[in-house]
Amino acid sequence: GFAGLMQLDVMFVSSSASWNVEKSSQDETDLSTVGSVVVFFFMLSFYWTHQVLRNIVRATVSGVVGTWWFSPLEATSFCSTAVSGSFIRSTTYSFGSICFGSLIVAVLHMVRNSLRSAQNNRNLGLVRCIVVCIMTYIERLVEYFNKWAYIYVGLYGYGYVDAGKKVISLFKTRGWQTIIADNLVNRLLGIMSLTIGLLTGVCTLFAAFLVEEFESKQGWMGIGFGVGFFIGIILSGMFMGLVSSAVDGIIVCYAEAPKELEDSHPAIAQEMSQTWAEAWGDLAGPAVIALGGGLGVV
């Protein structure tokens, strides 16, 4: 699915580029204005599709976590109604919110890349560098906002803007800004993904070394390592993204409804309470906060 989409985008962009190449000898490698616009919008569609797929997975995992939290009998296995129901909600009821937030990130990403690719032009170089830096920070802020907004989208079915406001208000009310800033799970998952990528690259390099045809072609061995590293990073990133979404969903649920966890999973609730006391003994524990949409999974 996603790999095929990537190949189609690359093939179409390449064909559009070659079709719109200037025929003059001086500008032989420059795209025409129409070709540049076509490339821009197709790359935008690629980034947008990528973001939408990521956020659908994030909202789906959050919905499954919410069902496990509030209605554990409905989330007893991989093939339970919690998984299918959450996926259906993410691709129907919440699909508009997911597309809207994903489009914002995709546009920011494309604008930043366009400005960065034009940095070789010396005209207004300093201003361009400042704008690129500002756009980078804005993109990161929006991605961080989306990270928590889609947790609420998956849990309660809120709209994109309302979801972001509610989760930020929740953390401010509980005084959890420090806890969120100290969350090392994503960093650990990133290190694990990088390690898997390196190991995959080494295995691919070793396999290329065993092939007699490649013994005298050192360049091909380097390409083999690069391909293995890239595949390892992509595949491990997909699985680590599932874990990251589940952890973030648990953080939101624990901040908002710890009593429900005590009722549905008493052993886990006790273990989490003990861990909380050891790590954040000086900070008030979570409390149930009634929100406009009420507790539960839509």
Side-chain angles (χ1 to χ4, degrees), residues 55 57-66 144-158 163-164 167 170-171 241-242 244-253:
N55 293 326
V57 172
R58 188 169 188 81
T60 301
V61 173
S62 302
V64 175
V65 170
Y144 185 79
F145 181 86
N146 286 357
K147 170 184 176 180
W148 298 106
Y150 288 123
I151 298 297
Y152 259 59
V153 170
L155 285 173
Y156 302 106
Y158 287 125
V167 72
L170 173 65
F171 289 145
L242 296 176
S244 175
S245 300
V247 170
D248 293 338
I250 289 174
I251 290 176
V252 172
C253 289

Side-chain angles (χ1 to χ4, degrees), residues 79-158:
C79 299
S80 63
T81 57
V83 179
S84 58
S86 181
F87 177 74
I88 292 174
R89 288 194 302 271
S90 299
T91 53
T92 55
Y93 182 77
S94 301
F95 191 66
S97 299
I98 293 174
C99 290
F100 177 65
S102 301
L103 178 61
I104 295 176
V105 176
V107 170
L108 291 174
H109 190 79
M110 282 298 302
V111 172
R112 178 174 60 85
N113 282 349
S114 299
L115 292 172
R116 181 171 293 175
S117 62
Q119 283 183 350
N120 294 330
N121 189 346
R122 295 183 178 180
N123 296 328
L124 299 176
L126 179 60
V127 176
R128 188 178 292 107
C129 288
I130 295 175
V131 174
V132 170
C133 183
I134 295 174
M135 291 297 298
T136 300
Y137 280 107
I138 293 176
E139 182 183 356
R140 290 178 180 177
L141 287 174
V142 173
E143 288 180 346
Y144 185 79
F145 181 86
N146 286 357
K147 170 184 176 180
W148 298 106
Y150 288 123
I151 298 297
Y152 259 59
V153 170
L155 285 173
Y156 302 106
Y158 287 125

Side-chain angles (χ1 to χ4, degrees), residues 16 25 27 42 44 64 86 102 127 132 148 160 183 187 204 223 239 244 296:
S16 299
S25 58
D27 299 323
F42 270 90
L44 177 62
V64 175
S86 181
S102 301
V127 176
V132 170
W148 298 106
Y160 172 73
N183 182 16
R187 299 178 186 177
T204 309
I223 293 175
F239 289 104
S244 175

Side-chain angles (χ1 to χ4, degrees), residues 39 126 136 149 173 200 256 267:
V39 170
L126 179 60
T136 300
T173 303
T200 307
E256 185 169 300

Side-chain angles (χ1 to χ4, degrees), residues 252-263:
V252 172
C253 289
Y254 190 63
E256 185 169 300
K259 298 297 182 182
E260 278 72 7
L261 182 64
E262 294 179 1
D263 296 336

Side-chain angles (χ1 to χ4, degrees), residues 212-243:
E212 296 181 358
E213 288 78 1
F214 290 161
E215 288 184 357
S216 59
K217 299 180 181 180
Q218 301 297 329
W220 283 103
M221 295 177 64
I223 293 175
F225 174 82
V227 171
F229 176 78
F230 180 76
I231 294 176
I233 285 288
I234 295 298
L235 295 180
S236 62
M238 294 172 59
F239 289 104
M240 298 304 170
L242 296 176
V243 177

